[in-house]
Amino acid sequence: MFYRPKPDQNGKPEKRIRSWPVLLLALPAFVAIWSGWVGLGTMTGFGEVQPLPGIAGNFTINTAITLPIGMETYASYALHVWLNGTIANPGTRAYAKWSALGALILGGVGQVAYHLMQAAHWATAPWPVVVLVACVPPAVLGMGATLAHMISRDNDLTEPVAAEAVPATEVVPVPVSRPVPAKRRTTRRDPAKVARAVELRAEGATYAEIGAALGISPATAAKYAPKPVVEQTGQPRPSTPTPVQSARPERPVQPMLPLAIPALGGNR
């Protein structure tokens, strides 16, 4: 109702319609409604009671004031829920609308009944009016509790969940690593094993026997002594001459027969 004006887009204070003059209009209506409900309550059995017997026996209250407080207060609040625009649920707004209109109509009917009976100089109201007025406090309690629960449900459903702040991370370029060619695996040769392999090979041992004796594989033994023994030791290997066979088979040599050669100048 009383607020500090907010600046608009141009930086100037925003102009709004003041609502406080409505209080001046509501005060006379409040006095008339209050007196009408209290008078109607007195004619329908509402009056002074002791709400705390045995505790505060001298404390009394007139229950007729509960009628204007309950009915008119609920009608004003339901109108606020319907027309304020803060409730987005159409079901809640529809309930607030029709319950506010119903409360205002019921309040108007009560005021009309009181003034008619007051004009007729009735001291007590007839029983249908008594029944209607007696049902006002429970009806107001039920409508107010229902509207409060609906508003609480809507607030729980539409409450925004604050997102957790995610710290900004700096993007660091990742260097692309080039594939490194694999190095060839080389094995170191033990000179003592190489010399021993050569000796065993010179003695006529096989690569399997050399590997078993030196704790290496036959392939490694073949690498240790790959060349002929005559090139590594300098001593010729004893060998037997291999007969050379000709490509063509030899033909038997036939003896040549003597030829008779005629003498020159012989007889003709």
Side-chain angles (χ1 to χ4, degrees), residues 175-199:
V176 180
S177 59
R178 297 181 178 179
V180 180
K183 296 182 180 180
R184 299 183 61 181
R185 187 176 180 181
T186 58
T187 58
R188 296 182 179 180
R189 296 184 178 184
D190 189 357
K193 289 186 177 181
V194 174
R196 181 59 178 164
V198 173
E199 293 177 1

PDB file of all heavy atoms in Angstrom, residues 175-199:
ATOM      1  N   PRO A 175      48.321 -30.170 -25.936  1.00  0.00           N
ATOM      2  CA  PRO A 175      49.239 -30.397 -27.069  1.00  0.00           C
ATOM      3  C   PRO A 175      49.064 -31.788 -27.647  1.00  0.00           C
ATOM      4  O   PRO A 175      48.897 -32.772 -26.919  1.00  0.00           O
ATOM      5  CB  PRO A 175      50.626 -30.227 -26.429  1.00  0.00           C
ATOM      6  CG  PRO A 175      50.418 -30.515 -24.976  1.00  0.00           C
ATOM      7  CD  PRO A 175      49.020 -30.036 -24.651  1.00  0.00           C
ATOM      8  N   VAL A 176      49.074 -31.821 -28.975  1.00  0.00           N
ATOM      9  CA  VAL A 176      48.915 -33.093 -29.673  1.00  0.00           C
ATOM     10  C   VAL A 176      50.287 -33.755 -29.774  1.00  0.00           C
ATOM     11  O   VAL A 176      51.229 -33.197 -30.349  1.00  0.00           O
ATOM     12  CB  VAL A 176      48.311 -32.878 -31.070  1.00  0.00           C
ATOM     13  CG1 VAL A 176      48.159 -34.207 -31.793  1.00  0.00           C
ATOM     14  CG2 VAL A 176      46.984 -32.162 -30.958  1.00  0.00           C
ATOM     15  N   SER A 177      50.395 -34.894 -29.197  1.00  0.00           N
ATOM     16  CA  SER A 177      51.669 -35.615 -29.202  1.00  0.00           C
ATOM     17  C   SER A 177      51.779 -36.477 -30.452  1.00  0.00           C
ATOM     18  O   SER A 177      50.840 -37.187 -30.818  1.00  0.00           O
ATOM     19  CB  SER A 177      51.788 -36.499 -27.955  1.00  0.00           C
ATOM     20  OG  SER A 177      50.726 -37.421 -27.920  1.00  0.00           O
ATOM     21  N   ARG A 178      52.903 -36.359 -31.108  1.00  0.00           N
ATOM     22  CA  ARG A 178      53.129 -37.167 -32.292  1.00  0.00           C
ATOM     23  C   ARG A 178      53.622 -38.553 -31.901  1.00  0.00           C
ATOM     24  O   ARG A 178      54.346 -38.705 -30.916  1.00  0.00           O
ATOM     25  CB  ARG A 178      54.164 -36.501 -33.191  1.00  0.00           C
ATOM     26  CG  ARG A 178      53.724 -35.148 -33.723  1.00  0.00           C
ATOM     27  CD  ARG A 178      54.775 -34.552 -34.618  1.00  0.00           C
ATOM     28  NE  ARG A 178      54.332 -33.267 -35.159  1.00  0.00           N
ATOM     29  CZ  ARG A 178      55.075 -32.510 -35.963  1.00  0.00           C
ATOM     30  NH1 ARG A 178      56.306 -32.939 -36.309  1.00  0.00           N
ATOM     31  NH2 ARG A 178      54.597 -31.368 -36.392  1.00  0.00           N
ATOM     32  N   PRO A 179      53.235 -39.524 -32.659  1.00  0.00           N
ATOM     33  CA  PRO A 179      53.684 -40.878 -32.318  1.00  0.00           C
ATOM     34  C   PRO A 179      55.183 -41.025 -32.475  1.00  0.00           C
ATOM     35  O   PRO A 179      55.769 -40.631 -33.488  1.00  0.00           O
ATOM     36  CB  PRO A 179      52.924 -41.773 -33.302  1.00  0.00           C
ATOM     37  CG  PRO A 179      52.554 -40.872 -34.433  1.00  0.00           C
ATOM     38  CD  PRO A 179      52.347 -39.514 -33.833  1.00  0.00           C
ATOM     39  N   VAL A 180      55.811 -41.535 -31.467  1.00  0.00           N
ATOM     40  CA  VAL A 180      57.260 -41.752 -31.478  1.00  0.00           C
ATOM     41  C   VAL A 180      57.531 -43.139 -32.023  1.00  0.00           C
ATOM     42  O   VAL A 180      56.950 -44.120 -31.534  1.00  0.00           O
ATOM     43  CB  VAL A 180      57.850 -41.598 -30.066  1.00  0.00           C
ATOM     44  CG1 VAL A 180      59.354 -41.834 -30.075  1.00  0.00           C
ATOM     45  CG2 VAL A 180      57.514 -40.231 -29.515  1.00  0.00           C
ATOM     46  N   PRO A 181      58.361 -43.232 -33.052  1.00  0.00           N
ATOM     47  CA  PRO A 181      58.646 -44.580 -33.591  1.00  0.00           C
ATOM     48  C   PRO A 181      59.334 -45.446 -32.546  1.00  0.00           C
ATOM     49  O   PRO A 181      60.215 -44.997 -31.815  1.00  0.00           O
ATOM     50  CB  PRO A 181      59.573 -44.301 -34.782  1.00  0.00           C
ATOM     51  CG  PRO A 181      60.149 -42.945 -34.502  1.00  0.00           C
ATOM     52  CD  PRO A 181      59.098 -42.192 -33.762  1.00  0.00           C
ATOM     53  N   ALA A 182      58.865 -46.667 -32.500  1.00  0.00           N
ATOM     54  CA  ALA A 182      59.421 -47.589 -31.515  1.00  0.00           C
ATOM     55  C   ALA A 182      60.864 -47.949 -31.866  1.00  0.00           C
ATOM     56  O   ALA A 182      61.197 -48.201 -33.028  1.00  0.00           O
ATOM     57  CB  ALA A 182      58.572 -48.857 -31.455  1.00  0.00           C
ATOM     58  N   LYS A 183      61.666 -47.905 -30.863  1.00  0.00           N
ATOM     59  CA  LYS A 183      63.065 -48.245 -31.064  1.00  0.00           C
ATOM     60  C   LYS A 183      63.229 -49.762 -31.200  1.00  0.00           C
ATOM     61  O   LYS A 183      62.531 -50.520 -30.539  1.00  0.00           O
ATOM     62  CB  LYS A 183      63.907 -47.743 -29.896  1.00  0.00           C
ATOM     63  CG  LYS A 183      63.901 -46.230 -29.772  1.00  0.00           C
ATOM     64  CD  LYS A 183      64.790 -45.794 -28.615  1.00  0.00           C
ATOM     65  CE  LYS A 183      64.806 -44.280 -28.483  1.00  0.00           C
ATOM     66  NZ  LYS A 183      65.662 -43.838 -27.365  1.00  0.00           N
ATOM     67  N   ARG A 184      64.132 -50.096 -32.076  1.00  0.00           N
ATOM     68  CA  ARG A 184      64.394 -51.520 -32.262  1.00  0.00           C
ATOM     69  C   ARG A 184      65.139 -52.056 -31.054  1.00  0.00           C
ATOM     70  O   ARG A 184      66.091 -51.447 -30.542  1.00  0.00           O
ATOM     71  CB  ARG A 184      65.222 -51.752 -33.527  1.00  0.00           C
ATOM     72  CG  ARG A 184      64.526 -51.292 -34.804  1.00  0.00           C
ATOM     73  CD  ARG A 184      65.374 -51.627 -36.008  1.00  0.00           C
ATOM     74  NE  ARG A 184      65.566 -53.074 -36.109  1.00  0.00           N
ATOM     75  CZ  ARG A 184      66.291 -53.653 -37.073  1.00  0.00           C
ATOM     76  NH1 ARG A 184      66.909 -52.889 -37.980  1.00  0.00           N
ATOM     77  NH2 ARG A 184      66.426 -54.972 -37.100  1.00  0.00           N
ATOM     78  N   ARG A 185      64.660 -53.156 -30.648  1.00  0.00           N
ATOM     79  CA  ARG A 185      65.233 -53.758 -29.448  1.00  0.00           C
ATOM     80  C   ARG A 185      66.527 -54.500 -29.810  1.00  0.00           C
ATOM     81  O   ARG A 185      66.546 -55.375 -30.662  1.00  0.00           O
ATOM     82  CB  ARG A 185      64.222 -54.745 -28.832  1.00  0.00           C
ATOM     83  CG  ARG A 185      64.668 -55.298 -27.493  1.00  0.00           C
ATOM     84  CD  ARG A 185      63.587 -56.166 -26.933  1.00  0.00           C
ATOM     85  NE  ARG A 185      63.979 -56.710 -25.653  1.00  0.00           N
ATOM     86  CZ  ARG A 185      63.219 -57.543 -24.933  1.00  0.00           C
ATOM     87  NH1 ARG A 185      62.034 -57.914 -25.399  1.00  0.00           N
ATOM     88  NH2 ARG A 185      63.655 -57.987 -23.772  1.00  0.00           N
ATOM     89  N   THR A 186      67.549 -54.058 -29.206  1.00  0.00           N
ATOM     90  CA  THR A 186      68.851 -54.689 -29.459  1.00  0.00           C
ATOM     91  C   THR A 186      69.313 -55.430 -28.221  1.00  0.00           C
ATOM     92  O   THR A 186      69.086 -54.970 -27.096  1.00  0.00           O
ATOM     93  CB  THR A 186      69.887 -53.635 -29.828  1.00  0.00           C
ATOM     94  OG1 THR A 186      69.982 -52.682 -28.763  1.00  0.00           O
ATOM     95  CG2 THR A 186      69.492 -52.893 -31.114  1.00  0.00           C
ATOM     96  N   THR A 187      69.887 -56.539 -28.463  1.00  0.00           N
ATOM     97  CA  THR A 187      70.405 -57.356 -27.359  1.00  0.00           C
ATOM     98  C   THR A 187      71.917 -57.266 -27.330  1.00  0.00           C
ATOM     99  O   THR A 187      72.579 -57.319 -28.380  1.00  0.00           O
ATOM    100  CB  THR A 187      69.970 -58.823 -27.537  1.00  0.00           C
ATOM    101  OG1 THR A 187      70.439 -59.283 -28.793  1.00  0.00           O
ATOM    102  CG2 THR A 187      68.453 -58.956 -27.476  1.00  0.00           C
ATOM    103  N   ARG A 188      72.418 -57.081 -26.191  1.00  0.00           N
ATOM    104  CA  ARG A 188      73.870 -57.023 -26.031  1.00  0.00           C
ATOM    105  C   ARG A 188      74.457 -58.453 -25.998  1.00  0.00           C
ATOM    106  O   ARG A 188      73.926 -59.306 -25.290  1.00  0.00           O
ATOM    107  CB  ARG A 188      74.225 -56.292 -24.742  1.00  0.00           C
ATOM    108  CG  ARG A 188      73.793 -54.822 -24.761  1.00  0.00           C
ATOM    109  CD  ARG A 188      74.216 -54.148 -23.469  1.00  0.00           C
ATOM    110  NE  ARG A 188      73.822 -52.745 -23.490  1.00  0.00           N
ATOM    111  CZ  ARG A 188      74.065 -51.890 -22.475  1.00  0.00           C
ATOM    112  NH1 ARG A 188      74.697 -52.349 -21.389  1.00  0.00           N
ATOM    113  NH2 ARG A 188      73.679 -50.645 -22.568  1.00  0.00           N
ATOM    114  N   ARG A 189      75.506 -58.629 -26.749  1.00  0.00           N
ATOM    115  CA  ARG A 189      76.141 -59.937 -26.802  1.00  0.00           C
ATOM    116  C   ARG A 189      77.282 -59.991 -25.785  1.00  0.00           C
ATOM    117  O   ARG A 189      78.078 -59.059 -25.677  1.00  0.00           O
ATOM    118  CB  ARG A 189      76.688 -60.214 -28.191  1.00  0.00           C
ATOM    119  CG  ARG A 189      75.609 -60.300 -29.266  1.00  0.00           C
ATOM    120  CD  ARG A 189      76.217 -60.670 -30.597  1.00  0.00           C
ATOM    121  NE  ARG A 189      75.209 -60.805 -31.635  1.00  0.00           N
ATOM    122  CZ  ARG A 189      75.464 -61.203 -32.887  1.00  0.00           C
ATOM    123  NH1 ARG A 189      76.724 -61.489 -33.236  1.00  0.00           N
ATOM    124  NH2 ARG A 189      74.494 -61.293 -33.765  1.00  0.00           N
ATOM    125  N   ASP A 190      77.269 -61.083 -25.080  1.00  0.00           N
ATOM    126  CA  ASP A 190      78.349 -61.309 -24.106  1.00  0.00           C
ATOM    127  C   ASP A 190      79.555 -61.885 -24.867  1.00  0.00           C
ATOM    128  O   ASP A 190      79.455 -62.951 -25.493  1.00  0.00           O
ATOM    129  CB  ASP A 190      77.868 -62.284 -23.037  1.00  0.00           C
ATOM    130  CG  ASP A 190      78.859 -62.387 -21.886  1.00  0.00           C
ATOM    131  OD1 ASP A 190      79.931 -61.747 -21.965  1.00  0.00           O
ATOM    132  OD2 ASP A 190      78.561 -63.118 -20.915  1.00  0.00           O
ATOM    133  N   PRO A 191      80.677 -61.179 -24.857  1.00  0.00           N
ATOM    134  CA  PRO A 191      81.841 -61.705 -25.623  1.00  0.00           C
ATOM    135  C   PRO A 191      82.255 -63.096 -25.185  1.00  0.00           C
ATOM    136  O   PRO A 191      82.666 -63.917 -26.009  1.00  0.00           O
ATOM    137  CB  PRO A 191      82.929 -60.669 -25.330  1.00  0.00           C
ATOM    138  CG  PRO A 191      82.197 -59.419 -24.962  1.00  0.00           C
ATOM    139  CD  PRO A 191      80.981 -59.873 -24.253  1.00  0.00           C
ATOM    140  N   ALA A 192      82.121 -63.368 -23.886  1.00  0.00           N
ATOM    141  CA  ALA A 192      82.521 -64.702 -23.408  1.00  0.00           C
ATOM    142  C   ALA A 192      81.611 -65.773 -23.986  1.00  0.00           C
ATOM    143  O   ALA A 192      82.087 -66.850 -24.401  1.00  0.00           O
ATOM    144  CB  ALA A 192      82.487 -64.729 -21.883  1.00  0.00           C
ATOM    145  N   LYS A 193      80.287 -65.487 -24.051  1.00  0.00           N
ATOM    146  CA  LYS A 193      79.364 -66.470 -24.604  1.00  0.00           C
ATOM    147  C   LYS A 193      79.586 -66.628 -26.103  1.00  0.00           C
ATOM    148  O   LYS A 193      79.447 -67.740 -26.649  1.00  0.00           O
ATOM    149  CB  LYS A 193      77.930 -66.052 -24.310  1.00  0.00           C
ATOM    150  CG  LYS A 193      77.520 -66.183 -22.858  1.00  0.00           C
ATOM    151  CD  LYS A 193      76.043 -65.885 -22.681  1.00  0.00           C
ATOM    152  CE  LYS A 193      75.619 -66.089 -21.224  1.00  0.00           C
ATOM    153  NZ  LYS A 193      74.185 -65.843 -21.021  1.00  0.00           N
ATOM    154  N   VAL A 194      79.895 -65.511 -26.775  1.00  0.00           N
ATOM    155  CA  VAL A 194      80.140 -65.608 -28.220  1.00  0.00           C
ATOM    156  C   VAL A 194      81.361 -66.483 -28.503  1.00  0.00           C
ATOM    157  O   VAL A 194      81.356 -67.350 -29.385  1.00  0.00           O
ATOM    158  CB  VAL A 194      80.319 -64.201 -28.813  1.00  0.00           C
ATOM    159  CG1 VAL A 194      80.724 -64.285 -30.287  1.00  0.00           C
ATOM    160  CG2 VAL A 194      79.028 -63.392 -28.677  1.00  0.00           C
ATOM    161  N   ALA A 195      82.434 -66.252 -27.716  1.00  0.00           N
ATOM    162  CA  ALA A 195      83.646 -67.067 -27.927  1.00  0.00           C
ATOM    163  C   ALA A 195      83.389 -68.529 -27.622  1.00  0.00           C
ATOM    164  O   ALA A 195      83.848 -69.435 -28.344  1.00  0.00           O
ATOM    165  CB  ALA A 195      84.780 -66.531 -27.053  1.00  0.00           C
ATOM    166  N   ARG A 196      82.634 -68.788 -26.548  1.00  0.00           N
ATOM    167  CA  ARG A 196      82.334 -70.173 -26.190  1.00  0.00           C
ATOM    168  C   ARG A 196      81.460 -70.825 -27.247  1.00  0.00           C
ATOM    169  O   ARG A 196      81.619 -72.004 -27.561  1.00  0.00           O
ATOM    170  CB  ARG A 196      81.636 -70.212 -24.833  1.00  0.00           C
ATOM    171  CG  ARG A 196      81.305 -71.615 -24.359  1.00  0.00           C
ATOM    172  CD  ARG A 196      82.551 -72.450 -24.242  1.00  0.00           C
ATOM    173  NE  ARG A 196      82.230 -73.793 -23.749  1.00  0.00           N
ATOM    174  CZ  ARG A 196      83.057 -74.832 -23.837  1.00  0.00           C
ATOM    175  NH1 ARG A 196      84.265 -74.665 -24.410  1.00  0.00           N
ATOM    176  NH2 ARG A 196      82.721 -76.011 -23.369  1.00  0.00           N
ATOM    177  N   ALA A 197      80.498 -70.061 -27.823  1.00  0.00           N
ATOM    178  CA  ALA A 197      79.646 -70.621 -28.877  1.00  0.00           C
ATOM    179  C   ALA A 197      80.457 -70.965 -30.105  1.00  0.00           C
ATOM    180  O   ALA A 197      80.225 -71.992 -30.769  1.00  0.00           O
ATOM    181  CB  ALA A 197      78.542 -69.624 -29.222  1.00  0.00           C
ATOM    182  N   VAL A 198      81.417 -70.119 -30.425  1.00  0.00           N
ATOM    183  CA  VAL A 198      82.273 -70.408 -31.578  1.00  0.00           C
ATOM    184  C   VAL A 198      83.083 -71.673 -31.340  1.00  0.00           C
ATOM    185  O   VAL A 198      83.250 -72.518 -32.230  1.00  0.00           O
ATOM    186  CB  VAL A 198      83.171 -69.200 -31.869  1.00  0.00           C
ATOM    187  CG1 VAL A 198      84.195 -69.544 -32.947  1.00  0.00           C
ATOM    188  CG2 VAL A 198      82.316 -68.012 -32.320  1.00  0.00           C
ATOM    189  N   GLU A 199      83.590 -71.812 -30.113  1.00  0.00           N
ATOM    190  CA  GLU A 199      84.377 -73.006 -29.806  1.00  0.00           C
ATOM    191  C   GLU A 199      83.520 -74.264 -29.904  1.00  0.00           C
ATOM    192  O   GLU A 199      83.948 -75.289 -30.459  1.00  0.00           O
ATOM    193  CB  GLU A 199      84.972 -72.887 -28.412  1.00  0.00           C
ATOM    194  CG  GLU A 199      86.032 -71.782 -28.289  1.00  0.00           C
ATOM    195  CD  GLU A 199      86.547 -71.655 -26.869  1.00  0.00           C
ATOM    196  OE1 GLU A 199      86.070 -72.443 -26.012  1.00  0.00           O
ATOM    197  OE2 GLU A 199      87.409 -70.786 -26.606  1.00  0.00           O
TER     198      GLU A 199
END
